[in-house]
Amino acid sequence: MAPDWDLVSKLVFPIITAIVVAAIGKRMENRPKLVTYMAHAAGFTLPPAQGPLLTTAGAEPKSQNDALTPPTGAPGAQVHVHSIIVRNTGKKTAFNVRLGHNVQIAHYVIEPRIQHESKTTEAGGWEIIVPALVPNEQIMVSYLYFPPLTWHQINAYTKSDEGIARYLNVFPTPQPPRWIVAGLVSVFYIGVLAITYAAVTSVQWIFAVTHSMGLAK
């Protein structure tokens, strides 16, 4: 008895397609995924330093407050600050995470406090190197510096041994519940199976019509 190839194709093709799509999706997800984005940037003008005024010989300040009041119009120091977030959203650990900079910043802090090192590069830049970021781990690096330097002149790149980080222009949105994610993934695979089944059925219909027209002639 000859096999019913029509039935075999309808059963086998969707299964093969689902296996291939699942394997590709698993391979793409099962790796580190670094993302980075700007947390905030700001500038501050500090008040003038408080100190006694210089007086001429023989002149006495009118009061103790006058001796501690800076001269009118004395400029205050300006400082700039900004922070960036680096997060591993993948399923594997990212090793040797490098934060590249165009210039070296003397005052910076990493939160939470983790082991890291900083060094200058051969090209004249400066790097902060974090040994590893496990899945879903994130760090915030905050910088303090002075004009005329601004935030867009500092950071150059973020990468790890596994690849370059993706820069986000907006803040990440809250993650939906796991059951919603599972439902969306299920709908996606059902759609793939439906499209595959429709494609196979269409090819079989075209083949049957063509074969019937050939017999009619």
Side-chain angles (χ1 to χ4, degrees):
M1 180 179 178
D4 188 349
W5 293 109
D6 181 50
L7 179 61
V8 171
S9 62
K10 289 181 179 179
L11 294 176
V12 172
F13 273 94
I15 296 175
I16 294 177
T17 302
I19 293 175
V20 171
V21 171
I24 294 175
K26 186 67 175 178
R27 182 175 180 83
M28 293 180 64
E29 292 179 358
N30 197 21
R31 61 184 179 86
K33 293 181 182 178
L34 285 181
V35 297
T36 181
Y37 57 92
M38 175 74 68
H40 72 87
F44 299 91
T45 300
L46 301 180
Q50 300 293 324
L53 293 176
L54 295 177
T55 58
T56 58
E60 295 292 337
K62 296 180 180 179
S63 66
Q64 184 177 4
N65 291 334
D66 291 341
L68 300 178
T69 303
T72 303
Q78 290 187 343
V79 295
H80 292 166
V81 295
H82 82 272
S83 299
I84 64 169
I85 302 292
V86 180
R87 180 180 177 87
N88 180 11
T89 61
K91 300 294 182 67
K92 283 190 174 182
T93 301
F95 294 98
N96 293 322
V97 179
R98 292 177 168 84
L99 284 69
H101 306 80
N102 297 314
V103 295
Q104 184 172 356
I105 303 299
H107 307 288
Y108 72 93
V109 63
I110 299 179
E111 298 176 351
R113 301 297 178 90
I114 60 173
Q115 178 185 357
H116 69 280
E117 63 174 319
S118 63
K119 66 177 184 179
T120 56
T121 62
E122 296 180 357
W126 178 63
E127 283 186 338
I128 295 176
I129 304 174
V130 178
L133 285 181
V134 301
N136 294 321
E137 183 180 10
Q138 76 173 27
I139 58 173
M140 181 172 69
V141 186
S142 301
Y143 307 89
L144 185 147
Y145 44 95
F146 302 92
L149 201 59
T150 56
W151 66 267
H152 63 276
Q153 298 172 313
I154 295 176
N155 298 98
Y157 57 83
T158 301
K159 62 183 180 180
S160 67
D161 289 349
E162 293 75 22
I164 298 177
R166 184 163 60 98
Y167 181 78
L168 304 179
N169 290 320
V170 295
F171 289 101
T173 57
Q175 295 295 321
R178 295 181 64 89
W179 64 271
I180 293 181
V181 176
L184 294 176
V185 172
S186 300
V187 170
F188 169 77
Y189 284 118
I190 292 173
V192 171
L193 292 176
I195 293 173
T196 303
Y197 178 79
V200 172
T201 304
S202 299
V203 171
Q204 291 176 341
W205 180 80
I206 294 173
F207 177 79
V209 171
T210 305
H211 183 68
S212 299
M213 293 176 63
L215 293 177
K217 293 180 180 180

